[in-house]
Amino acid sequence: RSEEHAEAYFNAGADFLVLGSRAVSSPHLVNDLCLEYPGHIIATLDIRAGKLLADGWSKRANHDVIAAAEHFQREGVAALICNSVQAATDSEADPAAAAALAQEVAIPVIAADGLATLDQLKQLCGGNGAALNGALLGQALYAGRLDFAKAQKLADSLPSE
């Protein structure tokens, strides 16, 4: 939430810092942190129905998703996490948002949670999702909907770029 918080985490040994919806509402913080810790800042873009959200998903941001991603890329973020809020609340993955974003920027894009099955993971990793750098699987693992060993085996079998 601040440069002081970031400094404390990095001093404690963190390699990366992920900025949530604060990244969209405080782009100057992203700029400052990228200058202070180049290559170690990751920004999250929360998206609902194709629109960028801010302030903990409570408000629609006045920025276009692609424009925001390109801005963060120019600022020097190491990667973007694309969080489809609809997917997170409905437990239905929407790999299209993350895959589309990955096609628009050169920095790594990671699809956030919402995956529930190996078929959805295959969809995410194949076709349009090939440009994605990874996927966060938290809720699917916690709820027992996805077996990590099988998911890792699937990921390992995919051709690397």
Side-chain angles (χ1 to χ4, degrees):
R1 302 220 177 266
S2 69
E3 290 182 56
E4 293 77 22
H5 284 118
E7 181 179 17
Y9 286 119
F10 285 121
N11 286 342
D15 287 329
F16 293 94
L17 181 70
V18 177
L19 297 173
S21 60
R22 175 91 177 184
V24 173
S25 60
S26 301
H28 64 280
L29 178 63
V30 176
N31 176 281
D32 293 345
L33 290 174
C34 285
L35 289 171
E36 185 72 24
Y37 307 99
H40 296 277
I41 303 300
I42 298 172
T44 300
L45 297 178
D46 298 314
I47 302 167
R48 179 183 292 132
K51 303 295 182 186
L52 191 60
L53 302 176
D55 297 328
W57 309 350
S58 64
K59 296 179 186 172
R60 191 178 277 180
N62 292 327
H63 309 292
D64 174 73
V65 173
I66 302 302
E70 290 171 342
H71 169 79
F72 290 139
Q73 178 175 269
R74 284 190 305 275
E75 293 298 323
V77 299
L80 295 168
I81 294 175
C82 182
N83 181 29
S84 176
V85 175
Q86 186 70 22
T89 57
D90 289 349
S91 297
E92 294 177 8
D94 179 16
L101 183 60
Q103 299 296 323
E104 298 293 330
V105 294
I107 58 176
V109 174
I110 300 163
D113 224 336
L115 296 171
T117 67
L118 282 178
D119 285 340
Q120 288 176 328
L121 185 58
K122 285 178 193 174
Q123 178 187 2
L124 182 65
C125 295
N128 292 337
L132 290 172
N133 189 264
L136 303 176
L137 303 176
Q139 289 298 323
L141 296 175
Y142 298 141
R145 294 187 310 259
L146 191 65
D147 179 276
F148 179 76
K150 290 179 181 176
Q152 185 63 54
K153 185 176 180 180
L154 171 64
D156 290 343
S157 72
L158 297 170
S160 60
E161 293 184 59

